[in-house]
Every structure is written in structure tokens, then in C-alpha cells.
Amino acid sequence: MSAVTEQQAAAPAGEGLSPLRHVYLLDDLTGLIPTLPRARELGEEAVAEAVGAVRRCVLNVAGLIDLDHIAVELISWDHALAEFLARTPTLPAHDVAIVIGSGGRRFADQLEEQGRRLAGRLDVPAAKILSDSGDAFFSEHSVLSRDGTPLEVVVPSGSTRVLVVDDCVQTGGTLTAVAEAAGVTSGSVVTLVCNEFTRRRRESDGWTIDFGTLLPGETYPMSYATDLFCVRDFLVDTAVRFADGTSTSYSSGGDWLSFLHGTRAEEARSHWTRTRDLLDDLRLLDQI
């Protein structure tokens, strides 16, 4: 998820925080689509059509960002995974592995498929829940269970070595919330993508973080200069969840596209809408 929901959009004038300068887009979808149950029913041609549509959409919307002022970098989930596996041949020693959210679950499954056993695995359905669906972009948020109830993370008694598994560590806010719910203050983290600034801050707090791809640049709360977006979150209507039980995608609600594209926001929205419609027609959308 983008850090924008945590930093509450661009910095207000006069606070001295940097404007957005670098956008990272994590393609967490093109490698996922061929593995879906529906993909096996569709056949290679239809799956290739879906993957190609997502790739074209991402390239098109990236080109609609103001490249004179904002650098855009595309990150492949599969490449980040390969980098992680090469960089981390064995997982940190642990008694319990706390797996965060659906992205963390996918990453954890892939680790175990590669023989990286996760001891005492606990899957935690954590999500950022925004307080105000009428003003999503500036809404405050809490990290709760996906159903809106408080997080409950019960670490077995005697577990002294905790490993946290998440697909992305951008600001570290979700990591902090889950750790607090589990009653732990330090441990190890493995992640596909990590912000460099956040890694330094968390390691100074007693955490160690192993990653696949390290993103340079400061992020919230010290700066608004960099942000990370997952491609899936522009397409699924559960990407942004609200306290009233409603939800939306980045391309349907709030002001995320205006934040990224300015006056070309509607052009970007049309690309996402066409791609979402295709995935829906192929009955892939409800499985991603």
C-alpha cells in the first residue's frame, strides 16, 4: 500500500517537507495472474492477453506522471523475489513467523516453496482502516484486522525470536502496529521491498531487515519525497478500507490519481478502468 494514506497526501504549505520526487510502482500482478485457479481454466492465450494488458496499462500510466519533476521506477515482484533469495540463502533464526496481510502471505508461501521454512507461522490479516470515507485522501487511519476489529497476535509463550514477513516495508507503520499487538519490540524482518530510510530507522530501534530491493530516498514522517504503490491496489476495490465497512481502489476513489498525475488523472483512470474491465470479463479480478 502507498504511504500516502499515512502521510495524508502532499505536505501542507509551510511545513518544509519535500514534494513528491520519486514514485516506485511494484508490479505485484503480472507474475500472480498465471498462478491463479482461473488462469488454468482460461488457457495460455487468454492469460497472455491479461498479463499483456496489465503491463501496457502500467507503462501508459507511468508515462502520464510529470516526468520532468517526478522520477518513476517500475519494480518487478519476481525480480525482487529472486534478489531476496540470492541475498538471503537462509532465513534469520526464529521461533515464530508473523506474516502480515495478503502480500505477506504470498511472499511467505513463495519462501516455503523455495524451502525456506517458517517456524510457528502466524498469518495476520492486517489492513490500514481509514476513518473517513468521505475524505479518503486526508483521512486518519488505524492498523486493524481486515474486518475492522482490533489486531490480535498471540505469540506462543517462550518465543524469544520473532520473524516478521511482509511484502513491502515503506514507512514501517504496519510493522510497528503488528509488533505492538504481538507485544514484541524487536526482531527480524524479511521483505521483498524496503525503503532505505525506514530500514535505518527500524534497525536503530532493534530490528534487522533483510530485503530483495532497497528503495533509496526518505519517506514519511521526515519527507514526502518518495512513495511506493502496488499495481494491484489500483485495480481491486478492497485496496483502501474504511471504518464504515466500505472500500475502494486507488483508481476509483480518493485523490490518488490527481496526486500522481495532476491534470492527466482522468487519462490514467481510463487506462486502469479498461484493464480492470478486461480482468473482470476474464473472471480473474476476484482472484487477484
mmCIF file of all heavy atoms in Angstrom, residues 104-125:
data_model
loop_
_atom_site.group_PDB
_atom_site.id
_atom_site.type_symbol
_atom_site.label_atom_id
_atom_site.label_comp_id
_atom_site.label_asym_id
_atom_site.label_seq_id
_atom_site.Cartn_x
_atom_site.Cartn_y
_atom_site.Cartn_z
ATOM 1 N N GLY A 104 2.063 -10.292 2.279
ATOM 2 C CA GLY A 104 2.992 -11.063 3.098
ATOM 3 C C GLY A 104 2.738 -12.550 2.990
ATOM 4 O O GLY A 104 3.676 -13.359 2.970
ATOM 5 N N ARG A 105 1.445 -12.927 2.897
ATOM 6 C CA ARG A 105 1.106 -14.345 2.766
ATOM 7 C C ARG A 105 1.635 -14.915 1.447
ATOM 8 O O ARG A 105 2.175 -16.034 1.417
ATOM 9 C CB ARG A 105 -0.404 -14.526 2.869
ATOM 10 C CG ARG A 105 -0.841 -15.988 2.852
ATOM 11 C CD ARG A 105 -2.320 -16.138 3.161
ATOM 12 N NE ARG A 105 -3.157 -15.540 2.134
ATOM 13 C CZ ARG A 105 -3.885 -14.451 2.289
ATOM 14 N NH1 ARG A 105 -3.862 -13.797 3.441
ATOM 15 N NH2 ARG A 105 -4.643 -13.982 1.312
ATOM 16 N N ARG A 106 1.494 -14.154 0.372
ATOM 17 C CA ARG A 106 2.015 -14.625 -0.911
ATOM 18 C C ARG A 106 3.531 -14.780 -0.853
ATOM 19 O O ARG A 106 4.086 -15.791 -1.307
ATOM 20 C CB ARG A 106 1.625 -13.640 -2.018
ATOM 21 C CG ARG A 106 2.166 -14.025 -3.393
ATOM 22 C CD ARG A 106 1.867 -12.948 -4.424
ATOM 23 N NE ARG A 106 2.502 -13.229 -5.698
ATOM 24 C CZ ARG A 106 2.642 -12.342 -6.674
ATOM 25 N NH1 ARG A 106 2.167 -11.109 -6.526
ATOM 26 N NH2 ARG A 106 3.243 -12.678 -7.802
ATOM 27 N N PHE A 107 4.221 -13.793 -0.282
ATOM 28 C CA PHE A 107 5.676 -13.859 -0.139
ATOM 29 C C PHE A 107 6.071 -15.048 0.731
ATOM 30 O O PHE A 107 6.991 -15.811 0.396
ATOM 31 C CB PHE A 107 6.169 -12.543 0.458
ATOM 32 C CG PHE A 107 7.651 -12.454 0.695
ATOM 33 C CD1 PHE A 107 8.559 -13.054 -0.167
ATOM 34 C CD2 PHE A 107 8.140 -11.745 1.789
ATOM 35 C CE1 PHE A 107 9.930 -12.955 0.050
ATOM 36 C CE2 PHE A 107 9.500 -11.638 2.009
ATOM 37 C CZ PHE A 107 10.397 -12.249 1.149
ATOM 38 N N ALA A 108 5.367 -15.262 1.850
ATOM 39 C CA ALA A 108 5.674 -16.370 2.742
ATOM 40 C C ALA A 108 5.483 -17.714 2.044
ATOM 41 O O ALA A 108 6.300 -18.639 2.191
ATOM 42 C CB ALA A 108 4.797 -16.291 3.991
ATOM 43 N N ASP A 109 4.397 -17.840 1.282
ATOM 44 C CA ASP A 109 4.156 -19.079 0.543
ATOM 45 C C ASP A 109 5.306 -19.350 -0.429
ATOM 46 O O ASP A 109 5.758 -20.499 -0.580
ATOM 47 C CB ASP A 109 2.842 -18.994 -0.217
ATOM 48 C CG ASP A 109 1.614 -19.039 0.694
ATOM 49 O OD1 ASP A 109 1.763 -19.394 1.877
ATOM 50 O OD2 ASP A 109 0.519 -18.692 0.209
ATOM 51 N N GLN A 110 5.767 -18.305 -1.105
ATOM 52 C CA GLN A 110 6.856 -18.477 -2.060
ATOM 53 C C GLN A 110 8.149 -18.848 -1.349
ATOM 54 O O GLN A 110 8.939 -19.654 -1.867
ATOM 55 C CB GLN A 110 7.030 -17.201 -2.883
ATOM 56 C CG GLN A 110 5.881 -16.967 -3.858
ATOM 57 C CD GLN A 110 6.024 -15.660 -4.607
ATOM 58 O OE1 GLN A 110 6.387 -14.627 -4.044
ATOM 59 N NE2 GLN A 110 5.714 -15.684 -5.899
ATOM 60 N N LEU A 111 8.380 -18.287 -0.176
ATOM 61 C CA LEU A 111 9.568 -18.666 0.597
ATOM 62 C C LEU A 111 9.520 -20.150 0.947
ATOM 63 O O LEU A 111 10.527 -20.870 0.810
ATOM 64 C CB LEU A 111 9.662 -17.828 1.868
ATOM 65 C CG LEU A 111 10.017 -16.353 1.706
ATOM 66 C CD1 LEU A 111 9.974 -15.649 3.057
ATOM 67 C CD2 LEU A 111 11.408 -16.192 1.081
ATOM 68 N N GLU A 112 8.358 -20.610 1.384
ATOM 69 C CA GLU A 112 8.259 -22.016 1.783
ATOM 70 C C GLU A 112 8.352 -22.936 0.572
ATOM 71 O O GLU A 112 8.900 -24.049 0.667
ATOM 72 C CB GLU A 112 6.966 -22.235 2.561
ATOM 73 C CG GLU A 112 6.960 -21.457 3.878
ATOM 74 C CD GLU A 112 5.996 -22.009 4.903
ATOM 75 O OE1 GLU A 112 4.791 -22.109 4.588
ATOM 76 O OE2 GLU A 112 6.460 -22.319 6.013
ATOM 77 N N GLU A 113 7.852 -22.485 -0.572
ATOM 78 C CA GLU A 113 8.015 -23.270 -1.803
ATOM 79 C C GLU A 113 9.489 -23.429 -2.170
ATOM 80 O O GLU A 113 9.870 -24.410 -2.807
ATOM 81 C CB GLU A 113 7.262 -22.597 -2.952
ATOM 82 C CG GLU A 113 5.748 -22.693 -2.847
ATOM 83 C CD GLU A 113 5.043 -21.793 -3.849
ATOM 84 O OE1 GLU A 113 5.751 -21.149 -4.667
ATOM 85 O OE2 GLU A 113 3.808 -21.723 -3.813
ATOM 86 N N GLN A 114 10.305 -22.445 -1.776
ATOM 87 C CA GLN A 114 11.736 -22.482 -2.047
ATOM 88 C C GLN A 114 12.531 -23.139 -0.915
ATOM 89 O O GLN A 114 13.761 -23.064 -0.884
ATOM 90 C CB GLN A 114 12.255 -21.066 -2.268
ATOM 91 C CG GLN A 114 11.715 -20.379 -3.500
ATOM 92 C CD GLN A 114 12.166 -21.050 -4.777
ATOM 93 O OE1 GLN A 114 13.309 -21.500 -4.886
ATOM 94 N NE2 GLN A 114 11.272 -21.134 -5.756
ATOM 95 N N GLY A 115 11.819 -23.772 0.010
ATOM 96 C CA GLY A 115 12.491 -24.499 1.086
ATOM 97 C C GLY A 115 12.881 -23.655 2.278
ATOM 98 O O GLY A 115 13.591 -24.132 3.168
ATOM 99 N N ARG A 116 12.415 -22.403 2.330
ATOM 100 C CA ARG A 116 12.692 -21.539 3.488
ATOM 101 C C ARG A 116 11.566 -21.739 4.504
ATOM 102 O O ARG A 116 10.544 -21.075 4.458
ATOM 103 C CB ARG A 116 12.783 -20.071 3.103
ATOM 104 C CG ARG A 116 13.665 -19.699 1.917
ATOM 105 C CD ARG A 116 15.107 -20.116 2.058
ATOM 106 N NE ARG A 116 15.980 -19.231 1.293
ATOM 107 C CZ ARG A 116 16.341 -19.417 0.023
ATOM 108 N NH1 ARG A 116 15.891 -20.474 -0.633
ATOM 109 N NH2 ARG A 116 17.151 -18.551 -0.576
ATOM 110 N N ARG A 117 11.752 -22.650 5.426
ATOM 111 C CA ARG A 117 10.697 -22.994 6.373
ATOM 112 C C ARG A 117 10.449 -21.861 7.357
ATOM 113 O O ARG A 117 11.380 -21.263 7.902
ATOM 114 C CB ARG A 117 11.078 -24.263 7.139
ATOM 115 C CG ARG A 117 10.057 -24.682 8.185
ATOM 116 C CD ARG A 117 10.442 -25.972 8.869
ATOM 117 N NE ARG A 117 9.535 -26.267 9.988
ATOM 118 C CZ ARG A 117 9.729 -25.857 11.225
ATOM 119 N NH1 ARG A 117 10.804 -25.127 11.512
ATOM 120 N NH2 ARG A 117 8.868 -26.152 12.183
ATOM 121 N N LEU A 118 9.160 -21.568 7.597
ATOM 122 C CA LEU A 118 8.761 -20.550 8.559
ATOM 123 C C LEU A 118 8.233 -21.254 9.807
ATOM 124 O O LEU A 118 7.171 -21.885 9.780
ATOM 125 C CB LEU A 118 7.683 -19.645 7.964
ATOM 126 C CG LEU A 118 8.124 -18.803 6.762
ATOM 127 C CD1 LEU A 118 6.924 -18.127 6.117
ATOM 128 C CD2 LEU A 118 9.158 -17.770 7.177
ATOM 129 N N ALA A 119 8.983 -21.138 10.897
ATOM 130 C CA ALA A 119 8.613 -21.820 12.135
ATOM 131 C C ALA A 119 7.454 -21.093 12.812
ATOM 132 O O ALA A 119 7.425 -19.858 12.860
ATOM 133 C CB ALA A 119 9.819 -21.872 13.075
ATOM 134 N N GLY A 120 6.504 -21.847 13.333
ATOM 135 C CA GLY A 120 5.406 -21.272 14.097
ATOM 136 C C GLY A 120 4.661 -20.187 13.350
ATOM 137 O O GLY A 120 4.336 -19.143 13.912
ATOM 138 N N ARG A 121 4.359 -20.415 12.093
ATOM 139 C CA ARG A 121 3.776 -19.379 11.231
ATOM 140 C C ARG A 121 2.417 -18.902 11.740
ATOM 141 O O ARG A 121 1.510 -19.694 11.993
ATOM 142 C CB ARG A 121 3.663 -19.905 9.810
ATOM 143 C CG ARG A 121 2.994 -18.945 8.842
ATOM 144 C CD ARG A 121 3.110 -19.427 7.420
ATOM 145 N NE ARG A 121 2.271 -18.634 6.525
ATOM 146 C CZ ARG A 121 2.260 -18.761 5.186
ATOM 147 N NH1 ARG A 121 3.052 -19.652 4.610
ATOM 148 N NH2 ARG A 121 1.472 -18.006 4.445
ATOM 149 N N LEU A 122 2.279 -17.565 11.862
ATOM 150 C CA LEU A 122 1.024 -16.920 12.227
ATOM 151 C C LEU A 122 0.647 -15.928 11.136
ATOM 152 O O LEU A 122 1.348 -14.940 10.932
ATOM 153 C CB LEU A 122 1.162 -16.171 13.560
ATOM 154 C CG LEU A 122 1.515 -16.980 14.812
ATOM 155 C CD1 LEU A 122 1.759 -16.033 15.983
ATOM 156 C CD2 LEU A 122 0.390 -17.954 15.145
ATOM 157 N N ASP A 123 -0.423 -16.171 10.400
ATOM 158 C CA ASP A 123 -0.879 -15.245 9.372
ATOM 159 C C ASP A 123 -1.807 -14.206 10.005
ATOM 160 O O ASP A 123 -2.817 -14.562 10.622
ATOM 161 C CB ASP A 123 -1.615 -15.992 8.265
ATOM 162 C CG ASP A 123 -0.660 -16.769 7.359
ATOM 163 O OD1 ASP A 123 0.456 -17.097 7.823
ATOM 164 O OD2 ASP A 123 -1.022 -17.054 6.211
ATOM 165 N N VAL A 124 -1.466 -12.926 9.841
ATOM 166 C CA VAL A 124 -2.214 -11.839 10.468
ATOM 167 C C VAL A 124 -2.873 -11.015 9.363
ATOM 168 O O VAL A 124 -2.176 -10.378 8.557
ATOM 169 C CB VAL A 124 -1.288 -10.938 11.307
ATOM 170 C CG1 VAL A 124 -2.078 -9.781 11.918
ATOM 171 C CG2 VAL A 124 -0.601 -11.752 12.396
ATOM 172 N N PRO A 125 -4.211 -10.991 9.282
ATOM 173 C CA PRO A 125 -4.908 -10.254 8.214
ATOM 174 C C PRO A 125 -4.977 -8.755 8.508
ATOM 175 O O PRO A 125 -6.043 -8.159 8.640
ATOM 176 C CB PRO A 125 -6.298 -10.888 8.222
ATOM 177 C CG PRO A 125 -6.512 -11.282 9.657
ATOM 178 C CD PRO A 125 -5.153 -11.705 10.166
#
